[in-house]
């Protein structure tokens, strides 16, 4: 099995910064795309940012220029540096990874348990 564990959420004032981290563990052969999603109360889960195994990032328009995604393939980790946070960034943030497990022919999608980010105005 594969586990994704997020950390780094919390309460911050508007304009502040937070750094989220996610570590994948288990019988992992390789990890393809990793990413961050978020879900605000009463809303659907939405994509925030993704990064390929080669390090190519992609961002939602709402966070472009404020958030930076990065990864360390050797440590199976992905980070999300969030700057100039806004109240509308308040949500539960979920880590996602497309993981090829040892002994498997195909990769599968895994999710973390989520970490709360609250931005006060």
């Amino acid at each position: 099995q594969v586990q994704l564990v997020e950390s780094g959420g919390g309460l911050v004032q508007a304009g502040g910064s937070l750094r989220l981290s996610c570590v994948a563990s288990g019988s992992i052969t390789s990890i393809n795309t990793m990413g961050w999603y978020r879900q605000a109360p009463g809303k659907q889960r939405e994509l925030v940012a993704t990064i390929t195994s080669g390090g190519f990032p992609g961002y939602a328009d709402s966070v472009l220029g404020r958030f930076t995604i990065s990864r360390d393939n050797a440590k199976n980790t992905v980070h999300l540096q969030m700057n100039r946070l806004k109240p509308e960034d308040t949500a539960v943030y979920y880590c996602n990874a497309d993981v090829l497990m040892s002994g498997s022919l195909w990769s599968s999608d895994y999710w973390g348990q989520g970490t709360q980010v609250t931005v006060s105005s």
Side-chain angles (χ1 to χ4, degrees), residues 39-66:
Q39 187 167 17
K43 295 187 177 182
Q44 290 189 332
R45 189 173 297 189
E46 63 176 4
L47 172 70
V48 176
T50 61
I51 186 166
T52 68
S53 57
F56 292 98
Y59 298 96
D61 288 344
S62 60
V63 305
L64 190 63
R66 299 188 298 122

Side-chain angles (χ1 to χ4, degrees), residues 11-25:
L11 173 64
V12 65
Q13 287 188 332
S17 298
L18 282 175
R19 180 177 171 85
L20 304 183
S21 296
C22 172
V23 179
S25 62

Side-chain angles (χ1 to χ4, degrees), residues 10 17 28 37 40 44 47 55-56 69 82 89 91 93-95 106:
S17 298
I28 297 171
Y37 291 70
Q44 290 189 332
L47 172 70
F56 292 98
I69 190 170
M82 304 185 294
D89 295 318
Y93 284 69
Y94 296 91
C95 176
W106 299 280

Side-chain angles (χ1 to χ4, degrees), residues 11-112:
L11 173 64
V12 65
Q13 287 188 332
S17 298
L18 282 175
R19 180 177 171 85
L20 304 183
S21 296
C22 172
V23 179
S25 62
S27 301
I28 297 171
T29 296
S30 62
I31 303 178
N32 299 317
T33 298
M34 302 184 81
W36 291 94
Y37 291 70
R38 67 187 182 188
Q39 187 167 17
K43 295 187 177 182
Q44 290 189 332
R45 189 173 297 189
E46 63 176 4
L47 172 70
V48 176
T50 61
I51 186 166
T52 68
S53 57
F56 292 98
Y59 298 96
D61 288 344
S62 60
V63 305
L64 190 63
R66 299 188 298 122
F67 292 8
T68 302
I69 190 170
S70 61
R71 67 188 284 174
D72 184 335
N73 290 334
K75 297 181 179 179
N76 291 335
T77 60
V78 63
H79 306 283
L80 186 68
Q81 178 65 44
M82 304 185 294
N83 298 328
R84 292 185 282 140
L85 282 160
K86 304 176 181 179
E88 50 263 45
D89 295 318
T90 295
V92 177
Y93 284 69
Y94 296 91
C95 176
N96 173 264
D98 182 30
V99 179
L100 178 64
M101 285 185 62
S102 302
S104 296
L105 296 178
W106 299 280
S107 62
S108 298
D109 222 26
Y110 291 89
W111 293 88

